């Protein structure tokens, strides 16, 4: 069955440029108006600038337990990518629909919205909570305010589905992430007098090598979880900048690193190892030439991993709806861990599209994935009374 209504909604959603550094309000206002046409009220939860908002709506009886269907509205940037067509215009080519966010994750949002007429006409035994967030792509930032609101309202859903692209397979785990920025402040000098200066790049390199050494140790000693493609905690330095000219000893080097950790691991322990190494092995050497030098750490992003036992009632239920007994763990992060950890709501990740298409030029979702996602939602609505 071709998801005609979903495709029309997806076309509209893709048409809103909700790149994370831009406002998402046009899209949010569209969804608010769309839901209002069916008599559904929405609560908008804004950021400090009032230029971004989460949307939270409840469909069906508000005095009984319900479920959450969750997704983010922001997309990653298209800068420095070469697209065959306008990335913010949905283009069909055979069995594929191209556009930024088509897979990650406006396809899921379109499917959910296309089922709203059915939700309002059905005699729902459980309420459906729609939770659409901002700024997921830059560290799951926006959803925190929505979770706080859910907690304030004392709404206690029985489970949550986060519709990230999983090829319509149920995901029971992903790693947590802890990302940090490091400022290494040295002492500038003319390069002809280089030994008198404190080369910030050199000392940053020493710390980066130690971070890499920690990851190598993890790859050997674990702990391990072989449900993951990379079965151990990883550490990775991804951005570095420093220096102004070759004939000047650089007085500043900045770099960023991340820890993607298993639920068996405490990222604070790894971070403390890195800070301790800097304090005991690098900074004293820098201070021999100048006490004004140093190394400074600042957290950028932090969100928990997801881990739910595959034998739980929720996972078995989702597998039955999917008619697929498989489950998996994925390399990408999501808001699912926050729903589970902050509100103690059993949560899985399951949505249409492939993560292999996400964040790339010519991102697409297939008709087949939309149809599978639609069948899943229809089965979910029909079976809620049995959960």
């Amino acid at each position: 069955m071709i998801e005609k209504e979903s495709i029309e909604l997806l076309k509209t959603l893709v048409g809103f440029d909700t790149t994370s550094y831009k406002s998402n309000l046009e899209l949010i206002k569209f969804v608010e108006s769309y839901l209002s046409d069916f008599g559904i009220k929405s609560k908008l939860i804004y950021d400090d600038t009032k230029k971004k908002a989460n949307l939270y709506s409840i469909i069906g009886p508000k005095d009984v337990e319900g479920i959450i269907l969750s997704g983010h509205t922001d997309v990653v940037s298209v800068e420095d990518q070469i697209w065959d067509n306008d990335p913010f215009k949905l283009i069909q080519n055979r069995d594929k629909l191209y556009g930024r966010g088509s897979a990650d994750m406006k396809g899921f949002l379109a499917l959910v919205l296309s089922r709203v007429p059915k939700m309002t006409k059905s005699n729902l035994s459980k309420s459906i909570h729609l939770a659409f967030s901002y700024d997921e792509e830059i560290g799951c930032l926006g959803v925190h305010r929505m979770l706080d609101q859910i907690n304030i309202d004392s709404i206690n859903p029985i489970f949550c589905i986060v519709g990230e692209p999983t090829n319509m397979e149920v995901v029971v785990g992903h790693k947590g992430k802890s990302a940090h920025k490091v400022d290494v402040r040295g002492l500038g000098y003319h390069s002809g007098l280089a030994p008198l200066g404190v080369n910030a790049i050199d000392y940053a390199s020493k710390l980066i090598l130690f971070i890499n050494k920690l990851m190598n140790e993890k790859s050997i000693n674990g702990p391990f979880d072989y449900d993951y493609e990379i079965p151990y905690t990883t550490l990775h330095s991804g951005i570095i900048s420093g220096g102004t000219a070759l004939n000047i000893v650089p007085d500043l080097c900045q770099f960023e690193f991340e820890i993607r950790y298993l639920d068996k691991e405490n990222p604070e322990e790894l971070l403390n190892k890195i800070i301790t190494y800097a304090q005991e092995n690098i900074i004293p050497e820098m201070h021999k030439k100048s006490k004004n030098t140093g190394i400074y750490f600042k957290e950028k992003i932090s969100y928990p991993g997801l881990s739910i036992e595959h034998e739980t009632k929720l996972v078995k239920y989702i597998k039955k709806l999917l008619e697929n007994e498989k489950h998996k763990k994925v390399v990408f992060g999501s808001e699912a861990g926050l729903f589970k950890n902050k509100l103690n709501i059993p949560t899985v990740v399951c949505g249409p599209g492939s993560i292999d298409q996400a964040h790339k030029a010519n991102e697409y979702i297939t008709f087949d994935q939309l149809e599978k996602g639609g069948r899943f939602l229809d089965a979910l609505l029909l079976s809620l009374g049995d959960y």
Side-chain angles (χ1 to χ4, degrees):
M1 180 182 76
I2 299 296
E3 290 278 340
K4 292 182 180 180
E5 188 64 30
S6 299
I7 292 170
E8 284 302 309
L9 284 163
L10 181 56
K11 183 184 295 184
T12 300
L13 296 178
V14 167
F16 296 112
D17 180 355
T18 52
T19 305
S20 298
Y21 63 84
K22 298 182 179 181
S23 171
N24 73 333
L25 287 186
E26 281 191 71
L27 183 150
I28 289 293
K29 292 291 186 180
F30 165 78
V31 175
E32 180 185 34
S33 176
Y34 176 86
L35 294 173
S36 179
D37 288 343
F38 296 96
I40 301 165
K41 293 182 179 180
S42 300
K43 181 172 287 187
L44 304 191
I45 304 148
Y46 291 88
D47 73 344
D48 290 337
T49 70
K50 305 296 182 183
K51 294 180 180 178
K52 298 181 181 183
N54 301 302
L55 179 143
Y56 191 77
S57 296
I58 301 176
I59 303 170
K62 296 178 176 58
D63 57 347
V64 299
E65 59 191 10
I67 69 164
I68 294 180
L69 300 176
S70 173
H72 62 82
T73 61
D74 61 318
V75 297
V76 298
S77 175
V78 298
E79 290 181 15
D80 300 321
Q81 293 184 343
I82 299 174
W83 285 68
D84 293 339
N85 298 287
D86 182 347
F88 298 104
K89 183 177 180 181
L90 194 70
I91 301 294
Q92 179 182 339
N93 186 354
R94 296 184 181 178
D95 66 338
K96 297 181 178 68
L97 294 162
Y98 292 85
R100 173 56 87 220
S102 54
D104 186 18
M105 58 178 296
K106 292 178 177 179
F108 176 76
L109 301 185
L111 285 171
V112 170
L113 292 175
S114 72
R115 265 60 189 178
V116 167
K118 186 178 294 186
M119 294 176 191
T120 57
K121 292 175 183 176
S122 301
N123 184 22
L124 293 172
S125 59
K126 293 180 174 65
S127 56
I128 308 291
H129 302 218
L130 307 186
F132 297 170
S133 66
Y134 67 87
D135 283 357
E136 187 271 351
E137 293 288 7
I138 54 176
C140 299
L141 302 182
V143 72
H144 288 275
R145 295 191 177 205
M146 184 152 52
L147 295 176
D148 290 341
Q149 189 64 54
I150 296 171
N151 195 39
I152 290 169
D153 291 344
S154 297
I155 301 167
N156 297 305
I158 52 175
F159 68 78
C160 173
I161 299 172
V162 177
E164 292 278 4
T166 68
N167 281 317
M168 291 310 303
E169 296 177 336
V170 62
V171 165
V172 299
H174 65 68
K175 296 177 183 179
K177 180 175 177 177
S178 177
H180 302 267
K181 181 181 179 183
V182 183
D183 285 4
V184 180
R185 298 190 176 275
L187 178 65
Y189 251 90
H190 189 289
S191 63
L193 300 170
L196 302 179
V198 179
N199 190 314
I201 293 177
D202 284 352
Y203 288 101
S205 299
K206 292 176 187 288
L207 190 55
I208 290 170
L209 286 173
F210 178 75
I211 292 169
N212 187 62
K213 178 185 175 185
L214 282 181
M215 189 181 75
N216 290 336
E217 289 176 358
K218 288 295 166 188
S219 71
I220 297 169
N221 301 321
F224 299 101
D225 183 340
Y226 291 100
D227 284 341
Y228 286 102
E229 181 179 358
I230 305 297
Y232 49 87
T233 293
T234 60
L235 297 92
H236 156 78
S237 299
I239 299 175
I240 187 168
S241 64
T244 55
L246 187 57
N247 60 355
I248 301 174
V249 174
D251 63 356
L252 176 65
C253 183
Q254 299 174 313
F255 72 94
E256 296 179 19
F257 72 93
E258 67 172 22
I259 304 169
R260 289 189 182 262
Y261 58 94
L262 300 176
D263 64 308
K264 304 172 184 176
E265 196 111 51
N266 183 353
E268 290 299 317
E269 291 181 2
L270 287 168
L271 177 62
N272 288 337
K273 283 186 178 182
I274 295 167
I275 293 173
T276 299
Y277 182 82
Q279 291 173 338
E280 295 181 355
N281 296 278
I282 301 179
I283 295 175
E285 189 176 335
M286 300 169 72
H287 281 180
K288 287 178 182 178
K289 294 182 180 179
S290 173
K291 297 292 185 182
N292 293 325
T293 60
I295 299 176
Y296 306 91
F297 294 79
K298 182 180 179 180
E299 183 179 270
K300 288 199 67 184
I301 295 169
S302 178
Y303 59 76
L306 171 70
S307 179
I308 182 169
E309 291 296 327
H310 65 270
E311 290 298 322
T312 60
K313 179 182 178 181
L314 173 59
V315 176
K316 289 181 177 179
Y317 173 62
I318 300 298
K319 286 180 177 180
K320 183 177 180 180
L321 296 181
L322 292 170
E323 298 180 347
N324 185 347
E325 287 300 311
K326 293 181 180 179
H327 62 270
K328 63 183 180 180
K329 296 181 180 180
V330 294
V331 296
F332 61 86
S334 80
E335 296 167 338
L338 287 164
F339 278 99
K340 185 172 184 294
N341 289 30
K342 197 167 183 177
L343 296 184
N344 199 30
I345 300 172
T347 304
V348 296
V349 183
C350 184
S354 170
I355 198 65
D356 291 342
Q357 302 307 321
H359 300 194
K360 295 179 180 178
N362 299 322
E363 177 183 350
Y364 68 81
I365 191 168
T366 63
F367 285 164
D368 178 65
Q369 281 295 302
L370 285 177
E371 289 161 12
K372 285 182 178 179
R375 288 197 298 271
F376 169 73
L377 289 176
D378 291 340
L380 176 69
L381 295 177
L382 285 172
S383 65
L384 272 180
D386 300 327
Y387 185 83

